[in-house]
Amino acid sequence: MVTGIAFLGIGLMGDPMVRRLLAAGHAVTVWNRTAAKALPLAEAGATVAPDLASAVRGAGMVISMLEAGPVVGAVLRDALPALAPNALWIDMSSTRQDEAQAFHALLTVQGQRFIDAPVSGGVGGAAAGTLAIMAGGAQADFDEAVPVLQAMGRPTLVGPAGSGQVAKLCNQLIVGATINVVAEALLLAQAAGADPVAMRAAIRGGFAESKILDVHGQRMLERNFVAGGQVKTQLKDQQNILAAAQAAGLQLPITQLVTERYQSLVQSVPQADHAAGLLGLEALNPGVRLGDAPDRLG
């Protein structure tokens, strides 16, 4: 067991992830820019650090779960003076591939190590310890991290530093597009006179079956847009996908359209669940609405 874990970033995902680590018996020190968000974890057994330096000082492993690449970079640079020699930094945030590679290079020069290990599975997966964890880094570093990562989900090494972020972008590409396609199917059923609830039940188990149809299809039918994965986060991921595609010399026309759909939503419901793609579709089709339940946004 690795001891002395510092966990940086206590948000929607960070809180349940820390609880899984504590339940597995790991000693965890937590830090958050908004300190009040970290305080409830003290009752679960975590040590709440008063500042970033105190959190990482002496830790053999640092896990960051932060908003975006620029935030990760700022926190990493601020933490460097207090970071232990040979410490392993695992960034579980969603960033660009080039950002992850830059973090790896910076830590390597300083005598530390880095893995990018973004996740998929949302708040529910974090609470259940069933996250899909896509890791990029050296095999030896990954092997060291596995016992810790397994407390939070299913880790898979997909390549060198930066590869975890590529895998996460591929995941989010499929998620973002499928959410919008499921919304279109449900609204078409409604508008064309079929029962959308029955339609969804009828196609379950066929080739259209997916986790998105299951989870987000139900969310749309209930008009439950309380965030698991937020619109603003999905938009950030969409933009990172397009940046990766440009760097690889690819055109991704469907992803471009999906990005535009989330761009249209971010001004009105940035913190809603990304299933709110349904709301954007309904805005394009005035007078057509899925079901009669009130919208739940928070």
Side-chain angles (χ1 to χ4, degrees):
M1 179 182 295
V2 175
T3 58
I5 300 170
F7 197 105
L8 315 178
I10 310 302
L12 284 173
M13 296 289 289
D15 182 289
M17 291 166 74
V18 169
R19 293 179 188 276
R20 296 299 306 189
L21 291 171
L22 293 169
H26 296 290
V28 186
T29 298
V30 297
W31 172 84
N32 195 64
R33 288 175 296 171
T34 305
K37 291 184 178 180
L39 293 178
L41 289 170
E43 297 179 4
T47 299
V48 180
D51 53 63
L52 177 58
S54 299
V56 303
R57 188 174 291 116
M61 186 174 292
V62 177
I63 299 174
S64 50
M65 187 63 175
L66 299 163
E67 182 180 0
V71 178
V72 176
V75 170
L76 192 156
R77 286 187 290 272
D78 287 346
L80 274 180
L83 203 58
N86 203 42
L88 177 57
W89 189 299
I90 304 173
D91 181 38
M92 304 187 79
S93 320
S94 293
T95 74
R96 297 195 313 266
Q97 178 186 19
D98 63 330
E99 290 172 326
Q101 291 169 333
F103 303 150
H104 174 262
L106 176 59
L107 285 167
T108 299
V109 167
Q110 297 291 325
Q112 285 99 14
R113 298 167 295 147
F114 178 82
I115 291 174
D116 54 298
V119 303
S120 179
V123 176
T130 58
L131 293 170
I133 303 171
M134 300 146 274
Q139 182 70 57
D141 295 337
F142 175 74
D143 292 343
E144 180 182 327
V146 163
V148 172
L149 296 176
Q150 284 178 333
M152 297 178 283
R154 179 179 54 83
T156 303
L157 183 66
V158 296
S163 299
Q165 296 299 343
V166 173
K168 174 61 185 288
L169 293 179
C170 293
N171 180 86
Q172 293 306 94
L173 182 158
I174 294 169
V175 168
T178 307
I179 283 175
N180 281 271
V181 170
V182 167
E184 290 188 2
L186 291 171
L187 200 64
L188 174 61
Q190 177 86 51
D195 179 349
V197 175
M199 181 280 295
R200 175 173 167 272
I203 66 175
R204 298 288 299 275
F207 282 167
E209 179 66 281
S210 70
K211 193 75 170 178
I212 300 297
L213 181 64
D214 177 15
V215 175
H216 292 289
Q218 186 62 34
R219 277 179 165 270
M220 292 175 195
L221 291 170
E222 296 173 354
R223 304 195 69 86
N224 174 12
F225 306 115
V226 178
Q230 296 180 323
V231 165
K232 65 178 183 179
T233 303
Q234 184 67 44
L235 177 60
K236 178 199 70 174
D237 291 338
Q238 295 293 139
Q239 292 167 335
N240 286 346
I241 294 163
L242 291 176
Q246 183 177 22
L250 292 180
Q251 294 288 330
L252 301 179
I254 293 174
T255 298
Q256 181 66 56
L257 290 172
V258 173
T259 303
E260 292 169 5
R261 299 309 310 134
Y262 281 109
Q263 184 69 60
S264 72
L265 280 174
V266 77
Q267 298 301 321
S268 56
V269 287
Q271 295 180 317
D273 188 84
H274 44 189
L278 173 67
L279 299 178
L281 180 63
E282 289 173 341
L284 288 175
N285 295 277
V288 182
R289 186 179 189 273
L290 183 65
D292 54 12
D295 290 342
R296 293 169 54 199
L297 293 166

